[in-house]
Each structure stands twice: as structure tokens, then as C-alpha cells.
Amino acid sequence: MNRRWFLGAAALSFATGAAWWGRDWLPLRGLRNLCLAPALPDRLAEHPLVRDVLLGLDPAKLWDCHVHLLGTGDSDPAKVWVNPALDSVWHPSQFLQKRLYSNAACVDDSVGGDASFLERLASLTAPHSGMHLMLLAFDYNHGLDGRRRPELSTFFVANEYTRSVAARRANWEWICSVHPYRDDALEALEWAAANGARAVKWLPPAMGMDPASPRCDRFYQTLQRLKLPLLTHAGHELAAEGGGHQDYGDPRRLRRPLEHGVRVIVAHCASLGESADSGEGGGVSRGLRNFQAFLAMMREPAHEKLLFGDLSAVTQINRAPEALQTLLLAEDLHHRLLNGSDYPLTGIVPLFSLYQLQRLGLLEARTAQVIAEIQHHNPLLFDLVLKRNLLWKGHRFPRQVFETADFFLSNDHHG
């Protein structure tokens, strides 16, 4: 056998095998959001998948609990700030990240990034529809000394700005973000609660707070008194690099706020990565999947009324294989799952593999084709139609998963 032919055949075989192994990751639908008009063309608007997406649901109770309020910081860095590293080619992953997010949100820098983000977001939902978006503020990374650390922060969105934006539309709510190590943390919490915040947003691996630290106890006591839920990321973090404390994403660190009676919403159901776990005898460590740790905690009787999960990002290509089938079958947990989109990430086209969902048996091919088209028009509608049509062994996500308003309105501190 000719040696050159053999090496060529081997290389082709390897490439074919790699393509098959990574087939879900092939960008079959392209890399860019085409940013088409949010108003769907008639053939899509009148399709049963779209026409019937709200069938059996109360639109006024559809509160998307995970919508990022982003921008470029061009209007006022005190309101929105983005780390300069995201505009530096010397930080290629962050440079690419910003462009993916900007394209996902259809940001037009020529008219101002902050204004363009809001204009596009406003066009995706009609105020009269009753559907609400819950906009997330995002605090800086802070050190143990309580000082903000911009150099370790990916971006910042001020509470005051988020509140003012939410006030512009009847169907926008807001979620504050307060780092517990701040000297003024309790004061900031009080202000946020008095000004309509529905919850508190944390991203521990990026922001640098340890949910299991005793430093957070007074913060948790205040949360419990104010009846503010804690919406906190758990699992491995990829979207915001921050301080690099991946261990802070271990869902078991959330036992501390639960012990203080805080209602905790675990973003993404901790559906990525693993955390160290003590093995039998001698403290040997092994990996424990964060998603499995989350499920185990959800099924502890003491957490029945305190621990919840949000469905943001669970349909993404890197999360779906582990999370979706299990969550669809977990009927005992459905009443404690809250839908969120993770917008604008729902607009990043290659982050979702509809082929993968078909291969996993969760989505029909003809359904996938329609949903794929919707993404380029309206990523929020894309998220809703996709999740409403997931099916595994006869199981779907039920009505209460999407009707999240009751959760945020219960024990309402707004008076």
C-alpha cells in the first residue's frame, strides 16, 4: 500500500470520525443572527407552532425571569460598563464573545449600543400581550475587602439604570444585583426592594462571592426579611470569565442561604460542569456533576418550598444532552421550575443545535425547521416555542413552568 495514500486515508478517516463525534457542534445554520424584522412573515405567524404557542397559558403570568440587560456603555459607563478587554484582539475569546452577544441582540453601534439594545428588546414583546420580561442588573466583581475589582469584571449594569429602564414599559420588571461583600450591601438591598426589585441576581464564579461564606449571613437574613428571592448561577461558568472561581458554582454551596430561609432559584439548573466531592475514606476527591448535585438537593424534603431551578440555557448545545431529558421526566419537580430565556444568548445561532435535539428524540424535524427560522426574527419567541414543543417519552414542560408570575408575586414585598 502506498504510504502517502495510507496517510491520506488515515487523515480522512480521522477527520470523518471527528466530524461525526462533533456533529452537534457543526454550525449547520450559520454563525450569525440575521436580525430580521421581529414581526414574523405571514407563513410563520400563521403556522400552528406559533399560532398555538400560548394555548392553555395565561399570558399575564408569563414572566421571563432571566433577561440580561446589556449594552456597550456608550451612553454612560456609570450605568453600563464593559471591560475594555472585550474590544482587544489580544483577548481573542472575549473579543469574539462581545461580537457574538452584540449580533445576538442585533445591536447597531451607529445609533448607540445601549439605545440599540433597548430598542430591539422592546420590539420583541408587545406591552398589551401581558408577557413580562425581568431585566437583570449585574454587579462588579468584589474582593474580600469589599472593594470592586473592574479588572476581574466582564461587565457591569447598575441597579439604578436597570430600575429606570424597567419603568419605561408596563411589561418590564427588574432584578437587582448586589455583591454581599460591599460595605453598603444591606443598604443597597433595602433600596432595591423599596424600588420594585423582584429578586437579586448573583453569578458567583464571575462576581467572586462564595455563597457558603459566613460573610453572607447578614445578607441572607436581609433577603429573608425583605422576601427577596436569590437568582444565582450554579455550575460551570463560560459567559463571563470574572475572577475564575469555578468552585463557587457548586450548587451545594447554596445550602447556606437555604438554611436562612431564603428562596433560591438556581439558574440553568446547574446544568454544566462538575465540582470536587469527598470520596469514601481519606478525603479522596472525585468529580460530581453539578446537575446531579442540584437534582439531589431539589429532592430533599427540607428544600421543597425554598429551592427552585430556572430553565434558562438548558436547550443550549452544551447543556441539552445532560439536562433536558431528565428535566422533562422529573414531574415531581415541575412545579419548582421557572422559565427564563437567558436573552440575548438565545440569539446566538450556533449555540443551539436543533439537529442535536432531533437526534436526542426531543424535537421533530419539521418542527425544528420552523423554530430555526423564528430565531432570526425573535429569539424570545424562539425560546418559548422551542421549550413548548420539547417532548420526551410523552412528557412535556407543563403550564406552570412558564407561568412564573405567581412565584414572584407571592409574598410580594411591594405592598
Side-chain angles (χ1 to χ4, degrees):
M1 181 181 294
N2 183 285
R3 183 171 180 271
R4 181 175 296 176
W5 182 92
F6 175 79
L7 291 175
L12 179 61
S13 176
F14 176 80
T16 302
W20 174 251
W21 181 82
R23 60 196 182 281
D24 292 339
W25 294 87
L26 296 175
L28 301 177
R29 298 189 296 121
L31 296 172
R32 297 186 70 256
N33 182 348
L34 299 179
C35 294
L36 302 177
L40 301 181
D42 289 345
R43 63 180 181 80
L44 283 180
E46 296 169 4
H47 192 283
L49 288 178
V50 177
R51 188 187 63 221
D52 299 337
V53 69
L54 298 180
L55 198 64
L57 299 178
D58 181 352
K61 292 186 176 182
L62 301 185
W63 287 27
D64 183 337
C65 73
H66 204 122
V67 177
H68 288 282
L69 180 59
L70 299 178
T72 59
D74 62 290
S75 60
D76 184 350
K79 298 177 180 178
V80 179
W81 173 85
V82 178
N83 194 312
L86 274 71
D87 285 314
S88 170
V89 294
W90 299 108
H91 299 85
S93 63
Q94 292 172 285
F95 184 85
L96 175 62
Q97 224 172 29
K98 182 181 178 182
R99 273 112 201 108
L100 284 172
Y101 297 157
S102 294
N103 173 242
C106 301
V107 169
D108 182 356
D109 288 325
S110 67
V111 297
D114 295 348
S116 177
F117 180 93
L118 293 177
E119 182 180 352
R120 180 70 177 188
L121 180 61
S123 72
L124 300 181
T125 58
H128 59 77
S129 70
M131 299 172 63
H132 282 55
L133 304 182
M134 306 190 76
L135 309 181
L136 304 179
F138 201 86
D139 208 350
Y140 281 103
N141 180 296
H142 285 68
L144 293 175
D145 58 3
R147 296 182 181 180
R148 65 173 56 171
R149 300 192 291 185
E151 71 280 5
L152 296 180
S153 304
T154 302
F155 64 96
F156 164 76
V157 182
N159 288 320
E160 295 80 358
Y161 173 69
T162 310
R163 181 198 60 79
S164 68
V165 168
R168 299 178 189 180
R169 293 173 66 88
N171 63 331
W172 283 359
E173 302 285 341
W174 76 287
I175 292 177
C176 71
S177 185
V178 179
H179 199 294
Y181 298 175
R182 287 167 45 173
D183 290 339
D184 66 341
L186 303 187
E187 179 184 346
L189 268 186
E190 297 277 3
W191 180 89
N195 283 272
R198 295 290 185 180
V200 178
K201 165 65 176 174
W202 279 6
L203 206 168
M207 291 180 176
M209 73 276 286
D210 179 2
S213 171
R215 300 176 61 95
C216 300
D217 285 350
R218 292 182 62 209
F219 192 91
Y220 295 146
Q221 291 164 8
T222 305
L223 281 181
Q224 197 279 334
R225 176 173 58 80
L226 294 173
K227 298 178 181 178
L228 277 177
L230 176 64
L231 169 60
T232 179
H233 174 99
H236 198 78
E237 170 56 23
L238 296 175
E241 294 189 8
H245 290 285
Q246 292 293 356
D247 54 322
Y248 289 175
D250 185 339
R252 293 167 298 177
R253 290 181 180 266
L254 297 172
R255 290 188 181 279
R256 197 169 195 100
L258 292 169
E259 289 168 357
H260 282 80
V262 177
R263 287 193 300 167
V264 177
I265 309 166
V266 179
H268 327 305
C269 293
S271 56
L272 201 62
E274 62 182 35
S275 296
D277 187 31
S278 297
E280 297 294 332
V284 179
S285 293
R286 56 185 172 82
L288 175 68
R289 299 295 297 174
N290 290 315
F291 180 60
Q292 296 304 320
F294 163 76
L295 291 176
M297 290 178 65
M298 285 283 281
R299 290 191 164 108
E300 293 180 28
H303 299 157
E304 169 66 28
K305 296 183 179 180
L306 294 176
L307 188 60
F308 301 81
D310 94 0
L311 294 180
S312 64
V314 296
T315 53
Q316 290 177 5
I317 192 171
N318 53 343
R319 299 176 185 272
E322 180 177 20
L324 278 183
Q325 292 172 344
T326 300
L327 290 172
L328 284 164
L329 290 178
E331 290 187 339
D332 60 316
L333 303 181
H334 283 173
H335 65 293
R336 290 158 60 201
L337 298 179
L338 308 172
N339 188 47
S341 63
D342 211 11
Y343 182 88
L345 271 68
T346 45
I348 300 179
V349 175
L351 200 52
F352 299 85
S353 173
L354 301 184
Y355 166 77
Q356 177 196 63
L357 298 179
Q358 294 174 58
R359 184 177 61 76
L360 293 172
L362 297 167
L363 201 63
E364 294 183 357
R366 58 184 179 181
T367 301
Q369 292 174 358
V370 176
I371 293 173
E373 287 192 70
I374 295 173
Q375 187 178 22
H376 292 283
H377 289 273
N378 189 329
L380 291 175
L381 182 61
F382 161 81
D383 177 76
L384 182 60
V385 174
L386 173 57
K387 288 173 180 169
R388 287 277 280 164
N389 283 279
L390 294 172
L391 179 68
W392 177 244
K393 296 184 177 180
H395 295 262
R396 298 182 186 273
F397 286 128
R399 170 185 54 78
Q400 62 262 37
V401 163
F402 302 97
E403 294 182 351
T404 61
D406 289 343
F407 173 88
F408 293 99
L409 292 173
S410 63
N411 298 321
D412 195 340
H413 61 273
H414 295 65

